Amino acid sequence: MEATGDQLILATGGYDHIIKLWQAHTGNCVRTIRFVETSQVNALDRTPDKTRLAACGYQCIRLYDIESSCAAPIINFEGVQKNVTRLGFQEDGNWMYTAGEDHRVRIWDMLSPQPHCSRVFDCQAPVNAACLHPNQVEIAMGSQNGGVYLWDVKSEVHDQLIPEVDASIQDVAISPDGQYMAAVNNKGNCYIWSLSSSPNQQLSTLSPKLKIAAHKRYVLRCKFSPDSRLLITTSGDGTARIWETEHFTMWRELCVENYWVWDAAFSADSKYVFTASSDGIARLWKLQTKNAERKYTGHTKAITALSFKDEIVTE
């Protein structure tokens, strides 16, 4: 993870109502943005061109220009209720998706002068998680009633599964190669499905593959590495665990003892991972050595969300 040209920016946010932008390679905080006085930061994501940062919380979604010195959001998204739990962007930045405790996943048209909600999917239960398939048309969702959904945004076709009764799905992830989907729940379990598609079907087919007893407590997040070879799960048990996707065996355990590990993000080369935890510190770990190479300190309460995007530059 080398800083070349544009500085690599890590964004963090949490219960102190603050978003911080860091130079990833130095640990220096380059900017602090006040979020909303009445809300923690639930999720962060950069636009594909990396110039803007979206943040969501209780009844709010904000978009900030991170290249401007102005701390005010450039867009406040209207009409959202309850906690907004996840957001992300289509690869060209044409639309954004958000998920929330109002039971809905929304598609926002980002090409119009005033972005507006163009499509809605009702999960009929609070939605904790959503992620976009690499095919850029299907969204996986996880809800508090245990439902895992796959929704084709264009055709409106959808599928629903309930991997475990009486368990809340806390996060969902799809591997960048499109082979696997993972879902984690509040009982410490991680479910893996194989994904397949054919030209004549409208929606990817999900085939159950594996159940992993990943953690002893709440699992908060799951994410695949950019090379699809690793899966990270973060938990209330003070650990982030790295699983090799060849056999879904545990390869590394990163410990932040006595604190919840809320979020994680891989570097583009899949050799490093950032974690956000309830001690108010973000960390950069070198996976080969399990060492915390850098700490990002400055938040006064739990860090619940982070966003990092870099690219492998090929000569």
Side-chain angles (χ1 to χ4, degrees), residues 86 97-100 103-107 120-133 138-153 157-161 163 169-174 181-183 193 203 206:
R86 293 287 191 277
Y97 63 90
T98 61
H103 302 189
R104 288 164 177 81
V105 174
R106 289 177 165 84
I107 304 297
V120 178
F121 184 86
D122 188 346
C123 287
Q124 300 180 330
V127 188
N128 291 331
C131 74
L132 183 59
H133 191 295
E138 295 174 8
I139 293 179
M141 302 164 271
S143 68
Q144 282 183 26
N145 69 356
V148 176
Y149 302 83
L150 198 60
W151 173 42
D152 185 302
V153 174
V157 174
H158 73 274
D159 193 10
Q160 179 191 3
L161 307 156
I169 301 295
Q170 300 305 115
D171 203 12
V172 289
I174 296 176
M181 183 174 84
W193 293 265
L203 198 66
L206 292 163

Side-chain angles (χ1 to χ4, degrees), residues 189-259:
N189 294 321
C190 174
Y191 290 85
I192 307 292
W193 293 265
S194 296
L195 286 169
S196 60
S197 61
S198 60
N200 60 351
Q201 69 186 70
Q202 286 185 300
L203 198 66
S204 295
T205 301
L206 292 163
S207 304
K209 179 178 175 64
L210 199 63
K211 174 187 174 182
I212 305 168
H215 294 270
K216 291 186 173 68
R217 294 182 64 183
Y218 247 81
V219 189
L220 296 159
R221 290 286 180 115
C222 60
K223 284 182 183 172
F224 287 94
S225 60
D227 64 8
S228 298
R229 293 181 179 177
L230 303 172
L231 171 71
I232 188 168
T233 56
T234 75
S235 171
D237 66 5
T239 68
R241 290 177 175 170
I242 316 289
W243 310 82
E244 291 182 307
T245 58
E246 186 178 6
H247 302 294
F248 287 97
T249 50
M250 192 171 78
W251 176 57
R252 291 285 187 270
E253 182 178 76
L254 312 175
C255 293
V256 186
E257 287 185 21
N258 303 318
Y259 293 102

